[in-house]
């Protein structure tokens, strides 16, 4: 088990997918990283790691609640000896004038006693750049991107200095690209000037990957920064270069024993991946009508799996074609159908684990959420990538024994995803 002092970075992510993306980015940059689901228990035993990403669901909830939950995460991280905390937001700065980026930043800044906080959602490799404080999504300003029509957080202003100032109690300033291009010391001088004039948060431009590294260096002078996976990358590279990390995506000893795959995603990619899996492992297609009718279908699936697990991995799928999905939804309602199938998948996962399966691949974002909730897994150590954005995960602090998982949402992964995943989950 690690000593608290070894944690060099703590992150508080305002949603689960963003947290996974950040944890994966930190791992790729050389930090051993654990992602937790919510604020962990105070006695969570961690393996030896460099970074912890606490996943919250605080992006679109009431601002006061977002502040309370973020501060609970902060206090857990500081209690583990974390010096620098990144408050991880969406790279499209999803928020409204009521928050939640500004209020959470204000509260964490007050706790950290930083005079000024660097803020940037820039992540050039995914097309998010900031110039003169304006956020671009690909080639268009934020307010001309599809984010202008976001159902929860429509973004009508690309100027983040203004956007953040409307949400925050502090004055917001800008560190522009010209200053950044002159290097870390020029940024430090500019920040000191801004802080002197009462500015408590500075949007910092970033257009190229290398800009993130300069930002990472300067941010580590402070106790708090705010941004997306891009600034996470800058922080991680700085920490890794300083020798504060041991690059290693090995997840410990192989787990062995039976393995199973569950698919609740109906995406095109998943449907193709199921078709490929049929060639190499037994596949059971659930009858969605029977799933909605009661628990028998899950029990039937478990009995089917138990008969085969001794011979190799199996796949159980609820996935259907778009036409079949639409027909089922029109008969039962979209939410009711989705929820019933998610719960059946969770029942099946639970039964499989009871039958000795400790290597589990799950396709579908919501499906994965339901499975992880049911298995009561508090966190994951992030391992090697199976496909872009989909790492192998080892459960941390689980009461269900050692477990290794792959959780894939939507269209991720190549055609052989299920076999690819199992090959990396010995
Ligand atoms: P993705 O990551 O592809 O969006 P999710 O698991 O997030 O996958 O969402 C898929 C949703 O579809 C879940 O709510 C799941 O329960 C539901 N679902 C799965 N199979 C079917 C089906 N045959 N008909 C209708 N809904 C389904």
């Amino acid at each position: 088990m690690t000593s608290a002092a070894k944690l060099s970075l703590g992150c508080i992510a305002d949603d689960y997918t963003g947290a996974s993306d950040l944890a994966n980015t930190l791992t790729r940059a050389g930090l051993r990283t654990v992602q937790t689901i919510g604020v962990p228990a105070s006695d969570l035993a961690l393996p030896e790691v460099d970074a912890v990403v606490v996943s919250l669901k605080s992006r679109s909830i009431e601002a006061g609640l977002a502040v309370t939950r973020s501060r609970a995460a902060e206090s857990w991280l500081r209690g583990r000896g974390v010096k620098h905390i990144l408050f991880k937001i969406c790279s499209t700065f999803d928020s409204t004038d009521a928050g939640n980026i500004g209020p959470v930043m204000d509260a964490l800044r007050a706790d950290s006693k930083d005079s000024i906080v660097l803020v940037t959602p820039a992540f050039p490799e995914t097309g998010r750049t900031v110039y003169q404080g304006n956020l671009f999504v690909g080639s268009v300003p934020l307010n001309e991107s599809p984010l202008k029509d976001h159902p929860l957080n429509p973004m009508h202003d690309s100027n983040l200095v203004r956007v953040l100032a409307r949400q925050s109690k502090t004055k917001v300033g800008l560190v522009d690209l010209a200053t950044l291009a002159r290097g870390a010391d020029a940024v430090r001088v500019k920040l000191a000037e801004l802080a002197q004039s009462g500015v408590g948060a500075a949007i910092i431009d970033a257009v190229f990957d290398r800009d993130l590294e300069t930002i990472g260096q300067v941010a580590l002078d402070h106790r708090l920064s705010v941004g997306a996976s891009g600034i996470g990358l800058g922080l991680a590279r700085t920490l890794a270069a300083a020798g504060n990390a041991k690059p290693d995506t090995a997840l410990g000893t192989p787990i062995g024993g039976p393995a199973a795959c569950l698919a609740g995603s109906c995406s095109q990619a998943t449907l193709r991946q199921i078709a490929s899996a049929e060639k190499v492992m037994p596949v059971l297609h659930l009858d969605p009508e029977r799933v909605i009718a009661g628990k028998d279908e899950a029990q039937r699936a478990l009995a089917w799996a138990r008969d085969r697990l001794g011979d190799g991995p199996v796949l159980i799928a609820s996935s259907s074609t778009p036409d079949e999905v639409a027909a089922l939804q029109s008969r039962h309602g979209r939410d009711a159908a989705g929820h019933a199938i998610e719960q059946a998948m969770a029942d099946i996962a639970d039964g499989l684990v009871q039958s000795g399966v400790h290597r589990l691949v799950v396709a579908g974002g919501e499906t994965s959420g339901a499975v992880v909730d049911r298995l009561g897994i508090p966190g994951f150590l992030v391992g090697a990538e199976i496909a872009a954005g989909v790492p192998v995960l080892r459960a941390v602090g689980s009461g269900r024994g050692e477990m290794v998982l792959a959780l894939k949402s939507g269209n991720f992964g190549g055609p052989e995803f299920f076999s690819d995943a199992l090959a990396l989950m010995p």
Side-chain angles (χ1 to χ4, degrees), residues 233-423:
L233 185 63
L235 291 163
R237 284 192 182 157
T238 306
L239 290 166
N244 286 334
K246 296 190 209 107
D248 181 9
T249 51
L251 290 182
T253 49
I255 291 202
C261 307
L262 296 174
S265 162
C266 301
S267 69
Q268 289 295 331
T270 304
L271 294 175
R272 270 199 303 276
Q273 290 157 353
I274 295 169
S276 286
E278 308 246 19
K279 295 178 201 141
V280 292
M281 66 182 88
V283 178
L284 176 70
H285 293 272
L286 297 173
D287 177 341
E289 276 298 345
R290 290 180 57 176
V291 170
I292 292 170
K295 297 261 183 199
D296 287 356
E297 184 69 350
Q299 291 309 320
R300 182 178 77 93
L302 277 171
W304 175 91
R306 284 186 191 117
D307 284 346
R308 290 166 179 77
L309 283 171
D311 300 327
V314 301
L315 167 61
I316 298 171
S318 69
S319 321
S320 310
T321 61
D323 288 349
E324 290 164 339
V325 170
L328 191 83
Q329 288 177 339
S330 70
R331 288 194 294 277
H332 300 280
R334 192 186 62 186
D335 290 349
H339 182 74
I341 295 173
E342 284 161 30
Q343 289 310 306
M345 285 303 197
D347 290 343
I348 295 169
D350 199 359
L352 287 170
V353 172
Q354 283 175 34
S355 305
V357 170
H358 289 241
R359 298 186 290 141
L360 197 59
V361 182
V362 187
E366 294 299 326
T367 309
S368 297
V371 167
V372 167
D373 277 356
R374 179 67 63 84
L375 297 178
I377 299 173
F380 299 106
L381 177 63
V382 181
E385 276 186 311
I386 302 157
V390 191
V392 178
L393 302 169
R394 187 164 185 135
V396 166
S398 161
R400 310 284 298 258
E402 296 287 343
M403 211 181 303
V404 65
L405 296 101
L407 307 174
K408 175 197 92 94
S409 68
N411 278 311
F412 285 65
E416 314 298 331
F417 177 77
F418 291 107
S419 316
D420 294 347
L422 291 167

Side-chain angles (χ1 to χ4, degrees), residues 193-207:
E193 281 168 21
L194 288 171
Q196 193 67 39
S197 62
V199 170
I203 300 291
I204 183 159
D205 285 350
V207 174

